[in-house]
Amino acid sequence: MSKQRHKVKLPEGWQMGGFVRLDHVLEVYPVSRRTWYRGIAAGRYPQPVELSPNVKGWLVDDILELLSSVIEQRNQRLRSTANTQRQHNRRGA
């Protein structure tokens, strides 16, 4: 994943370089567990780290990077829409 582009505020209790369990991830990225695991399989979401044989966690940095990426994609769509509207308005003027 690429370098963070936007500052995303750390949720309470999260620490850079730390790990979070899935329940905490889904509090800030509200999709179903099924959607989350399908996204991992498709390469859209970060892979978990095995912390012990029955415990998986996600790096806080990876989740923040995912959130930043979603924000950047949204901002690009908004800029694109605004540019299209300006071009349309110029033609109509």
Side-chain angles (χ1 to χ4, degrees), residues 4 8-11 16 60-68:
Q4 262 184 272
V8 175
K9 184 179 177 187
L10 281 173
M16 294 299 288
V60 167
D61 305 61
D62 287 349
I63 301 305
L64 295 178
E65 191 171 320
L66 172 64
L67 295 172
S68 292

Side-chain angles (χ1 to χ4, degrees), residues 15-77:
Q15 295 179 355
M16 294 299 288
F19 295 95
V20 288
R21 299 290 303 275
L22 184 56
D23 288 343
H24 296 290
V25 171
L26 298 179
E27 287 176 7
V28 297
Y29 200 91
V31 296
S32 69
R33 286 176 179 272
R34 185 174 184 164
T35 297
W36 182 258
Y37 282 113
R38 285 180 174 174
I40 291 169
R44 286 189 307 270
Y45 304 146
Q47 291 286 325
V49 175
E50 188 172 319
L51 302 173
S52 71
N54 295 318
V55 178
K56 292 183 177 29
W58 281 261
L59 285 166
V60 167
D61 305 61
D62 287 349
I63 301 305
L64 295 178
E65 191 171 320
L66 172 64
L67 295 172
S68 292
S69 174
V70 169
I71 292 167
E72 179 62 26
Q73 289 171 15
R74 185 220 39 199
N75 289 345
Q76 286 176 354
R77 282 193 308 273

